[in-house]
Amino acid sequence: NFSEDIINKLMNYLGNTKIAVLEQMVKARAASVVTMTSDVNLKHTRRLIYQVWFDNERWDDRRLYNVIFELSKHNKSNHSFRIKSLSWASADDKQLLNDITDQLQQVAEDARTMGTTLWFAKEDVKEEKLKKVVSCGQFTTCMNLIEYVLSIERKIDNKELTLTETEIEKIRFVKKQLLADWAVFKTDPYFLFNSYLS
């Protein structure tokens, strides 16, 4: 759709351009295409999937958003803001949900920066990346389940959700286990990972 004049100017410019410059232009364009398809497009697709899932009321009180970067140093301010804005949470709930040690945040940060690959390289094993990724998944899931259980308890307190006494007892039991695990995670982020090895 270019005019003949524009095509002539382009051909003249490209004909007078050094090979190294053309090579750099092609590489930059290729990198841009790879970024668009692998990063931007995947994030957009993931956002659309989450939107469909979270907009479906069928899954209310039965879903949990659990991502590896949630408790990382990089996401600290976003996490704190999100917890602060929870309308159902009491001051004690918010304090508990923000009780994340520097050690946990560092492990989550290391896990967050792990490249997305299908395998671990020798240097990743040496740096214990697998251990950090798995452990981050474990303690992040624990914290998100604590938040989930607290939200269910508040809905019961506010008469927004009706459960049987047996179901409420199960929730209390799970909460007790989660809080016990969280207390250990705060002192040793790898305790659950290491327990599988022993």
Side-chain angles (χ1 to χ4, degrees):
N1 293 339
F2 293 117
S3 70
E4 189 175 330
D5 184 45
I6 295 293
I7 291 174
N8 288 334
K9 286 182 179 179
L10 276 172
M11 295 304 287
N12 188 33
Y13 174 77
L14 293 174
N16 293 323
T17 304
K18 294 180 182 178
I19 298 286
V21 173
L22 288 174
E23 180 185 6
Q24 188 274 333
M25 289 170 63
V26 169
K27 285 181 179 178
R29 183 65 182 149
S32 173
V33 169
V34 168
T35 299
M36 280 295 285
T37 56
S38 66
D39 193 32
V40 176
N41 188 40
L42 287 176
K43 286 180 180 176
H44 180 66
T45 303
R46 187 182 311 136
R47 184 184 58 77
L48 291 173
I49 291 169
Y50 281 139
Q51 183 178 353
V52 168
W53 190 46
F54 276 87
D55 285 349
N56 189 339
E57 292 179 11
R58 173 182 180 198
W59 298 109
D60 285 355
D61 302 321
R62 291 192 269 169
R63 66 180 159 236
L64 183 69
Y65 181 69
N66 197 42
V67 291
I68 199 164
F69 60 81
E70 178 68 23
L71 303 180
S72 68
K73 288 184 175 185
H74 178 77
N75 196 54
K76 183 178 181 177
S77 61
N78 289 336
H79 176 78
S80 296
F81 177 78
R82 188 180 66 75
I83 298 303
K84 186 179 179 181
S85 64
L86 293 174
S87 59
W88 55 263
S90 69
D92 289 341
D93 294 341
K94 291 176 183 181
Q95 184 177 352
L96 172 62
L97 296 173
N98 272 320
D99 187 17
I100 304 155
T101 64
D102 289 339
Q103 188 179 13
L104 286 170
Q105 285 180 346
Q106 186 57 55
V107 172
E109 184 65 23
D110 291 344
R112 179 190 74 81
T113 58
M114 171 67 192
T116 305
T117 61
L118 298 177
W119 56 85
F120 287 84
K122 286 181 183 178
E123 58 271 9
D124 293 333
V125 174
K126 185 177 157 186
E127 295 173 14
E128 298 188 313
K129 294 270 186 161
L130 175 63
K131 181 178 180 178
K132 291 176 181 180
V133 168
V134 172
S135 297
C136 177
Q138 291 169 334
F139 64 70
T140 302
T141 301
C142 181
M143 174 51 79
N144 285 326
L145 286 171
I146 290 170
E147 180 180 337
Y148 175 76
V149 168
L150 289 172
S151 72
I152 295 295
E153 284 184 337
R154 297 305 158 256
K155 285 183 179 183
I156 293 168
D157 294 345
N158 297 329
K159 308 285 190 246
E160 297 171 34
L161 185 64
T162 305
L163 297 177
T164 66
E165 192 55 41
T166 303
E167 291 169 328
I168 293 171
E169 283 303 315
K170 287 179 182 177
I171 288 172
R172 288 182 186 138
F173 178 75
V174 169
K175 179 183 175 185
K176 184 177 178 182
Q177 286 182 310
L178 289 167
L179 291 174
D181 284 348
W182 185 248
V184 181
F185 275 128
K186 288 193 307 181
T187 59
D188 179 12
Y190 305 111
F191 96 91
L192 193 56
F193 181 89
N194 291 333
S195 71
Y196 291 121
L197 302 178
S198 52

